[in-house]
């Protein structure tokens, strides 16, 4: 396995600076690159002072929701006499997203350092890194790095000789997209089925093992040491759209594009330049058609809408979509949008935990209807049914998996209705088929 | 609770449906028992060691039988039914034996537009697996479609047991299969 591209001159490599450098994976190599100085400094500080710096940096959660990290940490009441926990969400399963995988593969100590600082800042002695079960290589790399850090006394009962306890453990998942939802992740870690919990209570009140818990994404935590080393102002100043969105962000790019991979740019970067310059534009002889820019859960946009975007949390919303996890899926003019959206719906139908009726039934119905349209058996009423279904699936369930199925599909039908209608008009003569769905089946 | 083999006694002989007696994974003094105790110590509630315990069973046995669910339940203070409820939630736990090389091809959207369905066909053809989910007649291979492996930029990724192979195309399939150790 290798990292497929060298950093582009217009990238701002902070988190990705050492991607592809095997020495950065080792403790000695990481220390030689300035590693663990932030943790050393943090353990001499008051936890609230660390939270204040993270607040001032403007760092927002990189997992998808974009919640301000410092504010989230401030919900943890230090000295309340309860155990506190930090969970690191490394269940990266959102289609189109593969950035946390690379952070763990190449810079495991950055994540350990971020976890240790985060745990200390929220008054936790234990942090669990929940990694999806399919990530065998990242798990092995993280386990090796943790063993090194533990043996060197960086984490453990006497972290860096300060007498403070900070334990960090890897917990391996077993194949369930929904465990990336924070409360499902906690259930899974507790040895339960990964069903999301009703909120409130929020994790900061009652989370893992019923105790106050903070849960942060891998990329969020990996940014923490850089913020402590360089200061909140440095992090804010990096962004072109400060103060709304600050810092740098890893974007995973996949689908029909010349140079897929991870790219780290500052917030506010031009999406048009990103797509055509950094990512090399479309494949030879093709044109970009549509994008799902924040992992498959966000609304579909046209290439024209995408070209107008400044890449920050607000910029994506202005064009009717979301930054989400930063997983950019690109479809070119050779792709059938009905077929691609049917496949996305099937993903959600497969991954629904089946607790809520709207989601369990809705995702399955939506898939069935879309596959029927793709098979050339659809009707115009089917499109209306999908819109009705999506209404019934949005904002009515315990978690947002159900909403996530409707968002790309409904926006995709709205923007590419002609492709759906062409399949419906040409009933029974469609040449586009879904894998596993025989043409003509209903 | 004792942790010996927990399968109910069965009549000897080869009656229809007869199974070999279950041999426990976490026997007293075994390395697996030590490992499990070490993992339990990381959590305030020993049930949190359930997923790790199930992983150990699957690594040792290749799949998780109902007897194994009972044994794991005994170790962690929960019922076999509870354990089964958990096993059935997660797609990576095998509830029946699978081929020696368990091949999972990602076909979620980003891989689909990179041609993942052709990769699936190539694996089915070259392994002799008649359809998705079936094991090849020689017991060497099982091929399934999998939802997003989280390696979309390296489409099509294929997970074969513990290894993730990136950028797989139909043309590379014979070579990949030839490289698997019997």
């Amino acid at each position: 396995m290798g990292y497929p591209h060298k950093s582009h001159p217009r990238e701002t490599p902070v988190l990705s600076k050492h991607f592809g450098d095997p020495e950065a994976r080792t403790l000695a190599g990481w220390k030689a690159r300035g590693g663990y100085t932030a943790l050393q400094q943090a353990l001499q500080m008051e936890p609230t002072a660390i939270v204040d710096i993270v607040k001032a940096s403007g760092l927002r959660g990189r997992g998808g929701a974009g919640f301000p990290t410092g504010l989230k940490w401030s919900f943890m009441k230090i000295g309340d006499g309860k155990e506190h926990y930090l969970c690191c969400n490394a269940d990266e399963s959102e289609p189109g997203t593969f950035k946390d995988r690379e952070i763990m593969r190449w810079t495991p100590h950055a994540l350990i350092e971020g976890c240790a600082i985060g745990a200390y800042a929220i008054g936790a002695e234990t942090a669990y890194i929940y990694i999806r079960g399919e990530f065998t290589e990242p798990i092995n790399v993280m386990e090796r790095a943790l063993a090194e850090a533990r043996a060197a006394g960086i984490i453990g009962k006497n972290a860096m000789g300060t007498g403070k306890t900070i334990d960090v453990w890897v917990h391996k998942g077993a194949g369930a997209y929904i465990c990336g939802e924070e409360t499902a992740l906690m259930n899974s870690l507790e040895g339960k089925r990964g069903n999301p919990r009703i909120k409130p209570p929020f994790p900061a009140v009652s989370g893992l093992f019923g105790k106050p818990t903070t849960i942060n994404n891998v990329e969020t935590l990996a940014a923490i040491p850089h913020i402590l080393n360089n200061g909140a102002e440095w992090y804010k100043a990096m962004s072109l759209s400060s103060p709304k969105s600050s810092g740098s962000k890893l974007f995973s790019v996949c689908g029909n594009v010349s140079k897929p991979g991870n790219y780290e740019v500052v917030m506010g970067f031009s999406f048009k330049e990103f797509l055509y310059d950094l990512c090399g534009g479309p494949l030879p002889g093709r044109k970009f058609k549509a994008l799902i820019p924040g992992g498959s859960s966000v609304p579909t946009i046209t290439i024209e809408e995408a070209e107008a975007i400044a890449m920050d949390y607000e910029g994506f919303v202005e064009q009717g979509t979301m930054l989400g996890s930063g997983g950019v899926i690109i479809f070119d003019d050779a792709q059938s949008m009905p077929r691609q959206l049917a496949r996305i719906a099937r993903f959600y139908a497969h991954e629904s935990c089946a607790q809520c009726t709207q989601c369990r039934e809705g995702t399955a119905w939506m898939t069935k209807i879309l596959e029927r349209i793709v098979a050339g058996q659809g009707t115009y009423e089917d499109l209306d049914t999908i819109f009705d279904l999506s209404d019934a699936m949005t904002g009515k369930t315990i978690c947002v998996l159900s909403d996530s199925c409707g968002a790309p599909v409904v926006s995709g039908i709205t923007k590419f209705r002609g492709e759906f209608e062409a399949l419906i008009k040409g009933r029974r003569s469609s040449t586009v088929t879904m894998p596993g769905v025989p043409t003509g089946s209903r | 609770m004792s942790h010996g083999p927990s399968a109910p006694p069965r009549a000897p002989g080869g009656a229809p449906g007869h199974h070999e007696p279950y041999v426990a994974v976490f026997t007293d003094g075994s390395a697996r028992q030590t490992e499990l105790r070490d993992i339990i110590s990381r959590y305030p509630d020993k049930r949190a060691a359930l997923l790790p315990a199930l992983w150990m069973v699957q690594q040792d046995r290749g799949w998780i039988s109902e007897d194994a669910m009972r044994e794991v339940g005994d170790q962690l203070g929960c019922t076999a039914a509870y354990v089964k409820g958990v096993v059935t939630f997660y797609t990576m736990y095998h509830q029946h034996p699978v081929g020696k090389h368990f091949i999972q091809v990602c076909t979620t959207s980003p891989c689909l537009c990179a041609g993942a369905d052709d990769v699936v066909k190539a694996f089915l053809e070259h392994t002799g697996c008649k359809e998705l989910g079936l094991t090849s007649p020689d017991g060497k291979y099982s091929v399934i479609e999998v939802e997003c492996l989280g390696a979309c930029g390296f489409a099509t990724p294929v997970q074969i047991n513990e290894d993730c192979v990136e950028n797989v195309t139909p043309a590379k399939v014979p070579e990949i299969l030839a490289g698997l150790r019997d």
Side-chain angles (χ1 to χ4, degrees):
Chain A
M1 299 207 207
Y3 196 66
H5 73 86
K6 282 199 163 52
S7 186
H8 188 281
R10 300 196 61 194
E11 282 187 76
T12 305
V14 176
L15 303 169
S16 59
K17 190 176 175 189
H18 303 297
F19 283 8
D21 173 3
E23 277 182 33
R25 287 174 160 185
T26 64
L27 178 58
W30 188 244
K31 280 187 158 173
R33 287 158 184 76
Y36 291 114
T37 51
L39 178 59
Q40 183 102 54
Q41 177 199 339
L43 292 176
Q44 311 303 324
M45 295 165 68
E46 282 298 314
T48 48
I50 302 171
V51 174
D52 288 342
I53 292 173
V54 175
K55 265 188 185 170
S57 76
L59 174 65
R60 292 167 66 174
R62 300 300 196 223
F67 194 82
T69 306
L71 184 60
K72 191 187 250 191
W73 286 8
S74 71
F75 296 152
M76 302 289 283
K77 299 295 168 224
I78 291 184
D80 59 3
K82 297 176 184 167
E83 285 285 318
H84 288 187
Y85 293 104
L86 177 74
C87 285
C88 171
N89 188 342
D91 192 61
E92 183 171 60
S93 315
E94 179 74 19
T97 316
F98 47 96
K99 61 186 178 64
D100 299 343
R101 175 184 192 259
E102 299 307 303
I103 291 174
M104 291 188 284
R105 281 174 72 193
W106 295 112
T107 57
H109 287 285
L111 180 57
I112 297 170
E113 190 172 3
C115 285
I117 296 169
Y120 176 67
I122 61 162
E125 294 193 333
T126 311
Y128 300 107
I129 306 173
Y130 184 101
I131 309 180
R132 64 178 297 189
E134 291 88 345
F135 276 180
T136 45
E137 195 207 357
I139 289 171
N140 292 340
V141 174
M142 287 305 306
E143 291 277 24
R144 272 201 300 275
L146 279 168
E148 271 189 303
R150 216 170 278 132
I154 289 167
I155 52 171
K157 300 292 169 216
N158 180 19
M160 301 198 102
T162 58
K164 292 164 179 139
T165 297
I166 301 175
D167 279 323
V168 183
W169 304 106
V170 163
H171 194 96
K172 181 182 179 183
Y177 166 75
I178 192 58
C179 291
E181 197 279 343
E182 59 182 12
T183 58
L185 185 151
M186 292 174 198
N187 272 344
S188 179
L189 217 155
E190 290 177 14
K192 298 172 180 164
R193 291 167 70 87
N195 292 332
R197 303 172 182 171
I198 292 172
K199 291 189 273 191
F202 290 94
V205 175
S206 175
L208 190 64
F209 306 113
K211 298 294 193 298
T213 303
T214 293
I215 180 158
N216 290 128
N217 174 258
V218 169
E219 189 184 353
T220 313
L221 288 169
I224 297 292
H226 297 288
I227 293 172
L228 286 200
N229 279 332
N230 301 298
E233 287 309 313
W234 164 83
Y235 197 70
K236 271 168 83 169
M238 229 191 313
S239 165
L240 299 172
S241 46
S242 192
K244 292 178 298 178
S245 300
S246 62
S248 62
K249 168 90 186 85
L250 277 166
F251 287 87
S252 308
V253 182
C254 65
N256 304 124
V257 58
S258 292
K259 295 183 200 163
N262 283 298
Y263 296 86
E264 186 171 7
V265 292
V266 295
M267 287 285 184
F269 198 88
S270 155
F271 202 23
K272 185 175 182 178
E273 289 173 37
F274 180 83
L275 292 169
Y276 291 95
D277 186 4
L278 276 64
C279 306
L283 296 167
R286 308 257 195 97
K287 282 182 186 154
F288 289 151
K289 178 165 74 177
L291 291 93
I292 303 184
S296 68
S297 298
V298 307
T300 310
I301 52 172
T302 64
I303 182 62
E304 292 77 19
E305 288 168 325
E307 287 175 0
I309 287 175
M311 300 169 76
D312 59 29
Y313 291 97
E314 294 75 20
F316 283 92
V317 170
E318 277 167 24
Q319 291 299 322
T321 185
M322 285 186 283
L323 183 149
S325 61
V328 181
I329 309 172
I330 306 175
F331 304 112
D332 68 17
D333 53 358
Q335 299 302 320
S336 155
M337 290 309 289
R339 182 174 186 251
Q340 291 297 338
L341 294 169
R343 186 64 187 85
I344 286 176
R346 202 206 306 171
F347 171 83
Y348 289 102
H350 183 268
E351 299 296 343
S352 171
C353 86
Q355 270 192 117
C356 307
T357 310
Q358 293 90 335
C359 177
R360 182 185 63 241
E361 305 298 322
T363 54
W365 284 354
M366 194 172 274
T367 306
K368 201 172 171 185
I369 295 169
L370 286 165
E371 291 187 345
R372 173 159 92 207
I373 293 171
V374 171
Q377 298 289 304
T379 63
Y380 290 101
E381 292 76 46
D382 279 343
L383 297 179
D384 298 334
T385 308
I386 289 175
F387 281 80
D388 281 353
L389 254 180
S390 177
D391 274 348
M393 288 163 68
T394 303
K396 299 184 177 63
T397 46
I398 293 174
C399 80
V400 294
L401 187 143
S402 180
D403 311 47
S404 302
C405 180
V409 170
V410 163
S411 51
I413 294 177
T414 307
K415 287 164 189 173
F416 298 95
R417 197 175 178 101
E419 290 191 34
F420 288 84
E421 291 187 344
L423 286 170
I424 292 168
K425 271 184 204 154
R427 279 185 81 178
R428 289 179 190 78
S429 59
S430 167
T431 53
V432 182
T433 54
M434 286 300 292
V437 181
T439 305
S441 72
R442 182 158 187 155
Chain B
M1 201 173 279
S2 75
H3 306 303
S6 49
R10 293 190 178 95
H18 169 75
H19 302 283
E20 292 298 318
Y22 178 69
V23 180
V25 173
F26 305 100
T27 47
D28 284 340
S30 66
R32 281 304 198 191
Q33 190 186 51
T34 309
E35 197 182 341
L36 183 59
R37 283 183 182 162
D38 175 50
I39 288 173
I40 289 171
S41 73
R42 301 172 186 175
Y43 306 95
D45 177 359
K46 67 178 176 180
R47 195 181 288 189
L50 182 49
L51 266 57
L54 291 169
W55 275 120
M56 287 183 219
V57 171
Q58 183 152 307
Q59 273 159 15
D60 290 0
R61 299 292 156 82
W63 66 295
I64 300 170
S65 65
E66 300 221 346
D67 286 329
M69 295 177 203
R70 190 175 302 117
E71 188 201 358
V72 168
D74 287 347
Q75 290 286 333
L76 301 177
C78 39
T79 64
Y82 177 87
V83 177
K84 187 166 190 173
V86 172
V87 169
T88 53
F89 188 87
Y90 298 94
T91 54
M92 292 182 79
Y93 293 133
H94 305 314
Q95 296 163 62
H96 51 80
V98 297
K100 187 174 177 198
H101 304 292
F102 189 72
I103 300 166
Q104 307 182 72
V105 185
C106 178
T107 60
T108 310
S109 239
C111 292
L112 184 63
C113 56
D117 42 352
D118 292 329
V119 177
V120 171
K121 278 184 208 149
F123 271 107
L124 286 175
E125 186 190 325
H126 291 285
T127 56
C129 293
K130 292 214 168 20
E131 58 182 88
L132 289 170
L134 289 186
T135 299
S136 60
D138 57 9
K140 276 168 73 174
Y141 309 106
S142 304
V143 182
I144 66 160
E145 277 186 39
V146 67
E147 295 295 347
C148 195
L149 284 174
C152 323
F154 320 100
T156 298
V158 177
Q159 181 101 14
I160 304 179
N161 294 348
E162 296 288 294
D163 296 321
C164 183
V165 191
E166 297 171 349
N167 302 308
V168 178
T169 58
K172 291 183 187 169
V173 169
E175 188 194 331
I176 291 168
L177 291 174
L180 298 176
R181 265 178 289 163
D182 284 330

